[in-house]
Structure formats: C-alpha cells, structure tokens
Amino acid sequence: MTVRTRIAPSPTGDPHVGTAYIALFNLAFARQQGGQFILRIEDTDQVRSTPESEQMILDSLRWLGLEWDEGPDVGGDHGPYRQSERSDIYAEHTQQLLDKGHAFHCFCSSERLDALRKEQMVNKQQLGYDGHCLQLTPEEVQSRLGQAEPHVVRMKVPRDGVCRFSDMLRGEIEIDWAQVDMQVLMKADGLPTYHLANVVDDHLMQITHVLRGEEWINSAPKHQLLYQYFGWQMPQLCHMPLLRNPDKSKLSKRKNPTSILYYQRMGFLPEAVLNYLGRMGWSMPDESEKFSRQEMFDAFDIQRVSLGGPVFDVEKLRWLNGTWIREALDAEAFAEQFKRWALNSDFLMPIVPLIQPRVETFSDVVPLAGFFMSGMLTLDETAFEHKSLQPDQIRLILQFSLWELEAQRSWDKDSVFSTLNRLAKAMELKIRDLLFPLFIAISGSTSSVSVIESMTILGPDMSRARIRHALGVVGSPSKKEAKLWDKAYRALG
Ligand code: GLU
C-alpha cells in the first residue's frame, strides 16, 4: 500500500499558518513513508470561496517549500482536485445512499428548524435534527420531490449506542451516537456539505491517512458511518493538536497575525517559518531547535507528536528566524534574499503609482515609503494629538476600526473604504477625522500616501497588527473600559 496523505484547504480567506502546519505534517508523514501528498481544494461553500484565496493558499504553501504530488495546478490521476468541479460525483454518491436507505430527503423549512433549535435550547436538550422527515411515506416524498419542493438530503444516524473509532495519537475515542446530528449531506442548492465531499474524495483519491486539526474529532463518527454505508475502508485518522496563542486560547487573528502573507511581508525566511511549524507539538530526536525540512522528514515519527496545545509564539519565531538569518546566509545570500523581499516587482508595482507623483528624487522614496517595508512602527503618543479629537476619541476610533477590520472579509480598496466610511457615519465623525489616527498607525505620519491604499498593500494582518500596536501606544482599554466600549460598539449597529 502506498501511503497517501492530503491537505484540503477551503479557499475562504487569507492563507492560514494552521493550514501550513497541517500540510507540513501530512507531507512529512508521506515522505517519511515513501508516499504521496495531495492538495485538494474544498470550495463547496460557493459564497465564501474565491479564486484569489485559492491562489494565495497555493502560493504561500509553495513559498514555504511545501510541495504536492497532485493538485488542481499540477494535475494527477485522481482529479479534478477542486470540489466545485466534482458535483456529479457527489450527486451520484448521494443517490447511492438514498437508494440503500442510508439517507433521506428532508423538506423542513428554516423556520421549523429555527423553532426546533430554540425549543431544544430552552429545554436544555441536545441540539440537532429531530428526525421529522424520516416519518414521511415514500409516496409523500415522491410527490413533494415531483413538485420541486426545496429540500436537503440528510444521513441517517443511530440514536442509541456509542461510536468508537481510533486515532493514531489518541487511541480509541468514544462518542455517543445521541450527540451526533443527522448531518445534511446535500444542500438545497444541490451542492454537497464538507462531510460528504470529504469522505467521497478521500476514498476516490485513495487517501490512506488523514492528518487534520483536532477540531474535526467530532466529525469522525459521521465520517466513519459514511464509510460504512458506502462499504469502503476508512483511512486512518490522526487529529493534530491545535495551534494556540501564548495565552493558550485557540490561535486567532484577533490576537495574533495568522496569515502566512503577514510572515512573508514581515520579512521572515520561509525555512525558518517551516522550521518553527515543525516544532509545534513535535521535536527532533536530539531536541535541536533549528532544522531543515529535509532533516525533519528524515527523522520524522508521527508518534513523537505531543498533544499538549502547541503555542505559536511570534517572539520565539523571531528568535529562530534570527538564527537562520545569521547562520544560514552568507553576505551575498543575505543581500540577494533581501533584494528579492524588498525589491520584487509584485510588491513594488502597487506602491509606485502612490509615490511616483510625490517624489523629486529617488532619495525621497525611502522616507515616504519606508513604512511599507517595516514591521511595527516606532510611534510616539504625541503623534496622535489632534486639533479637535480628544485622546479618548482617538483610542475609541482605533479600537472600533480594529474591530471592524477584524470582521472585514474582502480586503480591496473599495470594501475597506466603505467599512470605514460606514463606521465614521455611525460614530458621527468626518471620514477625514476617523482616518487621522489610522494614518499614524499605518504609516507613522499624516502626510503620507492614501491610508486605505496602504492598508490594501500591507494586507489585513499587518494593518491590524499596526492598529493594535498604535492602540497600545495611546492606551489599550482597561477591562472595565473594554466592556463599555464593546457595548457602545454594538449599539452602533
Ligand atoms: N476543508 C477542511 C478545512 O478547511 C478540511 C478538513 C479535513 O482535513 O478534513 O480545514
């Protein structure tokens, strides 16, 4: 048997370090076993998936040195590798489950499901579908399908007993069937949910080992049941510990930059980032901190993964990056890599139209545009003094903008502008005034190039990190203040 592993990202945002972490362990496991590693795009969520996000994921994983043997861009014998191109396969498999009586049509309206949910919450019952449509007669189902009534397809799930499955790191896991919902497999729009598509694809792509984040443990019973219903062998499951913030909470963009693009923009070396990810829950047999991708693959043993939540600590990553910079690069390589980082045209071209009209000599460029190449800026509280805005208003603007931008999905110029414009109106401020502290936070000066365009070039994580940093300079809210602000923010609507 050839070992085949995969990473299955959903292209719904910035490329996440967690994706790279799971990809690295899948690749290491496959390589160490002489197997193959596949990349599949799980884009069944048509509303949130974008081609831009897919491209960024592929580019970032490649930048880190993670390569796949089969995938949407490189092809392979088990394609297509994009779920949106596999609809017929899922429809056919859903039909098989219906024919065998393992799945059923559900016509329940969202109103009914909402009411059911509320009732279950009030009665402190397990949330989930109550099996209402299981009682329909075959004739009734046929007639409602004949009238093209909107419906989904759900899987049947036993109501009693215990589901047992094994995990490569955790041994046997037990979950009561009563806790497992009658999962929707096919949505009303005819597209599959994650569970169906994931199982069908893992089988058809001959995946032998599924290494994924521990947040998927609760999905394993549904998957195991689907494998049984289809009469297929289930791949071995291995749920990896989730990355955590230094305060041990789940790694989230609210506390830490999570986008690989941020680490790229910040000037980290891909080798160092990959090395650091390799240390998340894993260590070399000799405990060495600095190791290359190949050294990791040669020494890899999945059983050395420890389950205590690994902390992704940017300060430690900086330290490790420093050792790579000093030890792995000679002067020429340093100059070469720096040039590639700072002076490549992908990065420069969007900046040029902003600065060219404003400079007289090239020596004006760095003072004007140096902030694009910085990490956190050196800021002074006095820079935030304003003729009419009070210091507390400045703090509030920074905090509210940060909250808005943490929830911001599209990061193009128009979307960011309309978000901030809406916020200015809600706060009864002129947009110019609202943008004032953001100018300082992002570029260090109010006489700089457009702050919105700068944010789109710097990307969401770097922009948010700078605003968070600026808020720290003028004074982050105390716990009590944060509560009041949160309330005021919600009241804005
Ligand atoms: N599409 C899922 C994700 O975004 C894949 C989970 C899995 O590996 O099964 O994480």
Side-chain angles (χ1 to χ4, degrees):
M1 176 191 76
T2 312
V3 164
R4 285 170 60 86
T5 63
R6 51 51 167 195
I7 181 80
S10 299
T12 54
D14 266 28
H16 199 280
V17 284
T19 304
Y21 157 64
I22 300 291
L24 171 64
F25 280 76
N26 273 283
L27 178 62
F29 183 75
R31 289 291 175 263
Q32 190 262 330
Q33 304 267 329
Q36 291 145 5
F37 171 60
I38 285 93
L39 186 142
R40 175 174 77 231
I41 293 292
E42 299 207 331
D43 57 349
T44 53
D45 183 341
Q46 298 264 283
V47 181
R48 297 180 56 221
S49 300
T50 64
E52 293 78 25
S53 167
E54 176 184 319
Q55 195 56 50
M56 289 193 297
I57 293 172
L58 300 188
D59 292 346
S60 316
L61 294 180
R62 269 224 177 83
W63 174 72
L64 286 170
L66 297 164
E67 85 278 317
W68 41 98
D69 304 301
E70 297 167 30
D73 53 342
V74 295
D77 292 340
H78 303 79
Y81 293 93
R82 216 176 261 119
Q83 289 187 330
S84 57
E85 294 163 19
R86 299 170 65 83
S87 298
D88 295 350
I89 301 177
Y90 309 126
E92 191 189 306
H93 284 85
T94 306
Q95 195 54 51
Q96 277 182 29
L97 293 176
L98 286 164
D99 293 345
K100 291 196 215 162
H102 296 315
F104 61 98
H105 293 98
C106 169
F107 300 91
C108 290
S109 63
S110 49
E111 290 76 27
R112 175 174 189 275
L113 295 174
D114 285 347
L116 174 67
R117 197 183 154 78
K118 279 203 189 106
E119 194 186 305
Q120 289 170 334
M121 292 217 277
V122 171
N123 298 331
K124 300 209 165 43
Q125 287 167 324
Q126 172 76 35
L127 302 183
Y129 188 60
D130 60 353
H132 183 75
C133 287
L134 272 170
Q135 283 133 37
L136 300 175
T137 63
E139 295 71 36
E140 210 170 331
V141 171
Q142 280 318 314
S143 110
R144 291 172 82 164
L145 289 177
Q147 286 158 27
E149 202 177 312
H151 64 275
V152 299
V153 175
R154 290 180 186 272
M155 69 188 284
K156 288 190 187 166
V157 175
R159 292 338 285 148
D160 310 311
V162 180
C163 171
R164 291 189 183 81
F165 58 94
S166 64
D167 178 282
M168 289 161 69
L169 299 173
R170 296 156 205 262
E172 189 116 301
I173 298 180
E174 296 190 347
I175 296 180
D176 287 341
W177 280 119
Q179 283 177 26
V180 182
D181 195 13
M182 295 180 214
Q183 178 64 50
V184 173
L185 300 176
M186 190 61 97
K187 296 178 280 186
D189 60 6
L191 288 173
T193 55
Y194 155 74
H195 304 275
L196 177 78
N198 189 272
V199 164
V200 168
D201 287 351
D202 279 348
H203 174 73
L204 295 178
M205 296 180 181
Q206 295 175 9
I207 301 303
T208 57
H209 296 77
V210 169
L211 281 64
R212 62 181 172 198
E214 66 186 323
E215 74 268 35
W216 298 103
I217 290 182
N218 286 333
S219 300
K222 294 172 190 168
H223 296 183
Q224 190 178 46
L225 196 55
L226 285 172
Y227 282 101
Q228 254 172 39
Y229 285 165
F230 283 119
W232 299 334
Q233 192 182 343
M234 180 162 81
Q236 289 201 48
L237 300 182
C238 176
H239 292 95
M240 298 286 296
L242 279 184
L243 300 185
R244 308 206 163 256
N245 296 309
D247 68 5
K248 287 282 181 178
S249 57
K250 182 180 155 204
L251 189 67
S252 75
K253 65 178 180 193
R254 282 179 178 260
K255 300 206 171 144
N256 246 323
T258 54
S259 164
I260 302 167
L261 299 176
Y262 169 86
Y263 295 93
Q264 202 172 19
R265 191 63 261 128
M266 206 54 188
F268 284 91
L269 293 175
E271 294 85 351
V273 178
L274 203 66
N275 178 176
Y276 190 60
L277 290 174
R279 298 193 46 209
M280 295 292 103
W282 193 81
S283 56
M284 288 293 265
D286 65 359
E287 304 284 333
S288 53
E289 310 219 53
K290 180 165 166 274
F291 50 85
S292 69
R293 197 185 77 128
Q294 195 55 47
E295 284 164 341
M296 174 175 179
F297 294 175
D298 291 343
F300 192 69
D301 174 3
I302 189 77
Q303 292 307 329
R304 288 183 63 82
V305 170
S306 86
L307 293 177
V311 171
F312 188 88
D313 182 342
V314 183
E315 284 312 309
K316 289 226 173 89
L317 171 57
R318 283 184 75 88
W319 168 83
L320 186 63
N321 199 69
T323 65
W324 273 87
I325 292 244
R326 288 185 301 274
E327 293 169 18
L329 305 176
D330 59 19
E332 226 157 85
F334 181 96
E336 194 47 47
Q337 295 248 22
F338 177 77
K339 229 174 6 187
R340 223 185 296 154
W341 173 76
L343 304 175
N344 71 77
S345 64
D346 280 353
F347 178 53
L348 279 188
M349 288 319 284
I351 299 178
V352 170
L354 302 181
I355 55 176
Q356 195 174 5
R358 304 179 55 150
V359 300
E360 287 167 342
T361 62
F362 287 143
S363 54
D364 294 335
V365 171
V366 169
L368 181 64
F371 73 91
F372 281 112
M373 290 178 200
S374 301
M376 292 314 112
L377 306 177
T378 312
L379 299 174
D380 190 307
E381 214 174 331
T382 54
F384 292 90
E385 281 166 12
H386 186 264
K387 58 182 185 325
S388 57
L389 295 169
Q390 295 308 305
D392 275 346
Q393 268 178 303
I394 298 277
R395 296 167 66 222
L396 211 56
I397 291 173
L398 288 170
Q399 180 67 80
F400 284 11
S401 306
L402 184 58
W403 281 336
E404 283 292 320
L405 296 174
E406 278 167 354
Q408 180 77 18
R409 288 251 314 279
S410 338
W411 202 261
D412 57 277
K413 189 169 92 186
D414 294 343
S415 317
V416 174
F417 177 75
S418 83
T419 297
L420 294 176
N421 200 28
R422 197 167 13 86
L423 179 64
K425 288 216 172 83
M427 293 179 78
E428 296 177 7
L429 289 170
K430 286 195 206 106
I431 179 74
R432 187 154 38 97
D433 288 346
L434 181 113
L435 291 181
F436 163 78
L438 294 177
F439 255 109
I440 312 276
I442 297 296
S443 66
S445 143
T446 46
S447 60
S448 189
V449 300
S450 151
V451 63
I452 307 267
E453 302 217 41
S454 303
M455 282 201 269
T456 49
I457 291 171
L458 288 167
D461 272 18
M462 179 67 90
S463 305
R464 288 190 290 249
R466 286 196 191 169
I467 298 172
R468 216 173 278 136
H469 173 66
L471 186 57
V473 171
V474 290
S476 309
S478 64
K479 275 220 168 103
K480 198 169 133 209
E481 230 174 356
K483 266 200 192 139
L484 288 172
W485 287 10
D486 184 62
K487 217 161 152 199
Y489 178 63
R490 281 165 205 276
L492 293 180

